[in-house]
Amino acid sequence: MKLLRSLASICLLAAAALSVPTQEKRVHHQADLSDRAHDDSHGFKYDHEAFLGKEEAKTFGQLTPEESKDKLAMIVVRIDTDKDGYISHAELHHWIKHRQRRYIEENVNKHWKDYDKNQDGKIAWEEYKNTTFGFYLGEEFDDVEDKATYRSMLKRDERRFKTADRDGDGMATREEFTAFLHPEEFDYMKDLVVQETVDDIDKNGDGKIDINEYIGDMFSPENGESEPDWVQTEKENFHEFRDTNKDGYLHNDEVAHWVLPGDVDHADNEAKHLIQETDTDKDQKITKKEILANWNMFVGSQVTNYGEDLTKRHDEL
């Protein structure tokens, strides 16, 4: 019996790993579009990765200029969603955001088949719950030492699932399941991101975060360990910047300013940049002709990569 209980505990730990984890990093910054410097005088690789995504940009680097231009022409048709023959700022912005979310889509695709058991194109809460926790639900986690933790995980996941489920039908579409796995990417999930942060840090359950809870989330001394200098800096940050109403606590609105700082929209800036550089008639939108006339700003090829490599070697000399 003890062996069975041990095996059950191991299985639940493996299942729980699929559950939505607590946030490892509290502040959700918008990632830049590329790790490369954005300096057009030294090449357009930043623009290529912003416009195509990092992996797709690599594939264009293996094409001839003619092949790259042909593929770019097909992409332009896809970006022009209203089919008016022009690429507006909104359309280009949406495209760049979509390309940058591909890593999220790949993560969702990886998990989708694990949960959509009946393959109906949706994931019901029951499907998710039974896949992640199902073996133990009838036993109320009796085979697990830390029952409270697993019950809390189940409750947390259910709240997040119901929040992501915008139409409340108990079924997650692919978009809703994406919001469930990556809530920080969706405006309508941001209140939940804040509440989960408060729940994680608020140890006494009073619905707000005091200075000890704030610091305790980052640093917990062990065996007489001395307090590092950065802890004092964080205490000052709490009082001077985080606690805006100076009542000694962080409430949800203050936590929101901390963990969801509203960074620069890199996709918006890149869309403006590409239009500004290629909009020859200055009508604030670009045509396929204008894009193809500046094709090497949008996509690479064997030739552009070779040229940029030569420039890089020259600068290094």
Side-chain angles (χ1 to χ4, degrees):
M1 180 62 71
K2 287 184 178 179
L3 176 60
L4 289 175
R5 287 180 180 274
S6 297
L7 289 173
S9 296
I10 292 170
C11 290
L12 182 55
L13 286 171
L18 293 173
S19 175
V20 177
T22 55
Q23 297 186 40
E24 295 178 2
K25 294 183 178 179
R26 300 298 179 191
V27 182
H28 298 279
H29 290 294
Q30 287 191 26
D32 203 347
L33 305 179
S34 170
D35 296 330
R36 302 177 185 277
H38 196 182
D39 183 357
D40 289 352
S41 65
H42 286 80
F44 301 117
K45 287 192 174 180
Y46 178 100
D47 300 297
H48 298 166
E49 292 186 0
F51 181 72
L52 296 168
K54 185 175 293 186
E55 294 306 314
E56 188 71 7
K58 290 179 183 177
T59 68
F60 271 78
Q62 306 303 314
L63 303 177
T64 66
E66 291 72 22
E67 290 170 333
S68 287
K69 283 186 276 189
D70 287 344
K71 288 194 70 172
L72 175 59
M74 291 187 285
I75 290 173
V76 172
V77 173
R78 292 169 59 191
I79 299 174
D80 182 19
T81 53
D82 62 8
K83 306 306 177 188
D84 67 349
Y86 296 94
I87 304 300
S88 66
H89 170 269
E91 288 171 326
L92 188 53
H93 179 240
H94 177 78
W95 169 262
I96 294 171
K97 291 281 281 187
H98 170 71
R99 301 309 292 176
Q100 295 301 317
R101 282 184 59 187
R102 284 193 69 184
Y103 80 94
I104 293 176
E105 293 170 2
E106 289 167 2
N107 176 256
V108 172
N109 291 338
K110 183 175 69 174
H111 290 294
W112 185 266
K113 62 180 180 295
D114 295 329
Y115 295 112
D116 184 17
K117 294 300 185 183
N118 62 5
Q119 298 183 345
D120 64 349
K122 292 184 178 182
I123 295 173
W125 163 245
E126 292 298 320
E127 285 180 304
Y128 174 83
K129 179 179 69 172
N130 291 335
T131 301
T132 307
F133 303 99
F135 183 77
Y136 303 89
L137 290 175
E139 304 174 20
E140 285 297 310
F141 302 112
D142 286 340
D143 289 319
V144 181
E145 290 184 8
D146 192 358
K147 300 180 183 65
T149 296
Y150 288 98
R151 288 178 183 139
S152 175
M153 291 168 65
L154 175 60
K155 184 178 179 181
R156 177 191 181 98
D157 283 6
E158 183 173 14
R159 180 178 64 183
R160 188 188 281 201
F161 191 97
K162 289 181 176 178
T163 304
D165 178 20
R166 299 192 79 172
D167 59 9
D169 66 352
M171 309 280 288
T173 62
R174 190 173 290 271
E175 184 76 359
E176 289 169 336
F177 194 62
T178 303
F180 172 69
L181 292 178
H182 300 276
E184 70 283 352
E185 297 291 328
F186 293 80
D187 287 340
Y188 80 97
M189 297 290 287
K190 288 184 176 178
D191 286 345
L192 178 100
V193 172
V194 171
Q195 189 58 55
E196 287 185 350
T197 304
V198 173
D199 292 345
D200 289 343
I201 304 175
D202 173 28
K203 300 305 181 185
N204 63 13
D206 63 355
K208 52 193 177 184
I209 300 171
D210 62 36
I211 182 65
N212 292 326
E213 292 168 330
Y214 177 79
I215 296 299
D217 183 57
M218 307 177 192
F219 174 73
S220 181
E222 298 180 1
N223 301 324
E225 180 184 1
S226 60
E227 187 176 276
D229 293 340
W230 64 262
V231 172
Q232 183 57 41
T233 301
E234 282 300 330
K235 289 179 179 179
E236 294 170 2
N237 286 340
F238 180 94
H239 293 297
E240 294 179 20
F241 304 110
R242 310 277 187 242
D243 179 20
T244 55
N245 67 359
K246 308 305 178 188
D247 69 346
Y249 300 95
L250 301 188
H251 301 273
N252 281 38
D253 59 333
E254 293 166 320
V255 173
H257 283 110
W258 166 34
V259 301
L260 300 169
D263 295 334
V264 172
D265 187 339
H266 299 293
D268 177 66
N269 284 345
E270 179 65 8
K272 290 175 180 175
H273 169 68
L274 290 173
I275 290 175
Q276 179 181 346
E277 294 298 320
T278 57
D279 179 22
T280 54
D281 59 6
K282 305 304 177 186
D283 61 354
Q284 303 303 310
K285 50 191 176 182
I286 48 181
T287 63
K288 181 190 289 188
K289 182 179 179 180
E290 288 173 321
I291 291 172
L292 293 179
N294 298 275
W295 67 273
N296 61 334
M297 173 170 270
F298 292 84
V299 299
S301 72
Q302 294 170 341
V303 172
T304 54
N305 282 358
Y306 177 70
E308 288 179 5
D309 287 342
L310 285 179
T311 302
K312 182 179 179 182
R313 289 195 202 103
H314 179 270
D315 290 344
E316 290 172 348
L317 293 177

